[in-house]
Every structure is written in structure tokens, then in C-alpha cells.
Amino acid sequence: NLFSDPEIFSLPPQIQFLNKPLAYVIAKVRSRTSREGYAAIGGGSPQLGTTMKQGEAIEEAMAKLGLHARCYVAMRYWEPFTSTAIRQMKADGIKRL
């Protein structure tokens, strides 16, 4: 997903048809190094955990101000995707953002 995103990586218009194949190759080449890097920091990216803690801190800060708020986390390239967060909001009865 990451290397297929034209906002992250895009070839000139004349050869843009190569974007997806090149993204696949980059992901394959990086996968071993990425696995080793993640293993060195505990087995996975800390991004989701850090983001969830930030959301909890925002909820707590809002509560101290007397405001009931719920934070929903969405990631662009991995779960929870935006669609997952929106489904959860709907399940929680959220009508307005």
C-alpha cells in the first residue's frame, strides 16, 4: 500500500504504468530489512500503540474539561483503516464529528 500511493511515490506520467510493479519490487526488497528492524524493537511497529495512547490522553484531557469525547484511530496503510474506524463510530451511535 505504502509504495503504491502516488502521494508517496510516483513516476513521471510517461511511465506511471510501472508504479505498481515497482512498488511490489520495493516492498519485497525491503521486507527482510523491515522484519529485522521490527524484531529489534520488539516484533512490530510501535506506531499503533503510541497512537492509541495519544487518543486515550486526549479523551482524559477532554474529560478534565467536562467534555465527553471518544477518539477513534485510523491508519492509512494498515489496520485499523479509516473504514474500520467509521464502522466503529456508527456502531457507537456517533452521528456528528
Side-chain angles (χ1 to χ4, degrees), residues 47-57 71-73 75 80:
Q47 184 177 8
L48 179 58
T50 300
T51 305
M52 298 293 284
K53 287 178 185 173
Q54 289 173 332
E56 292 166 6
C71 289
Y72 296 87
V73 172
M75 301 285 177

Side-chain angles (χ1 to χ4, degrees), residues 1-94:
N1 286 342
L2 177 64
F3 300 110
S4 294
D5 185 339
E7 292 185 29
I8 302 293
F9 184 85
S10 186
L11 295 171
Q14 304 86 337
I15 57 172
Q16 279 186 351
F17 67 93
L18 293 172
N19 277 356
K20 286 197 185 274
L22 186 56
Y24 177 81
V25 170
I26 293 170
K28 282 292 184 187
V29 169
R30 286 179 40 98
S31 66
R32 181 177 177 194
T33 313
S34 295
R35 269 194 305 276
E36 291 169 358
Y38 285 135
I41 61 170
S45 171
Q47 184 177 8
L48 179 58
T50 300
T51 305
M52 298 293 284
K53 287 178 185 173
Q54 289 173 332
E56 292 166 6
I58 290 170
E59 290 176 359
E60 290 171 12
M62 299 291 280
K64 287 179 184 175
L65 296 173
L67 301 168
H68 175 72
R70 170 103 194 261
C71 289
Y72 296 87
V73 172
M75 301 285 177
R76 187 169 184 165
Y77 301 109
W78 200 254
E79 281 286 347
F81 291 112
T82 304
S83 57
T84 304
I86 290 171
R87 274 194 305 276
Q88 185 61 53
M89 286 182 228
K90 287 180 179 179
D92 290 345
I94 303 298

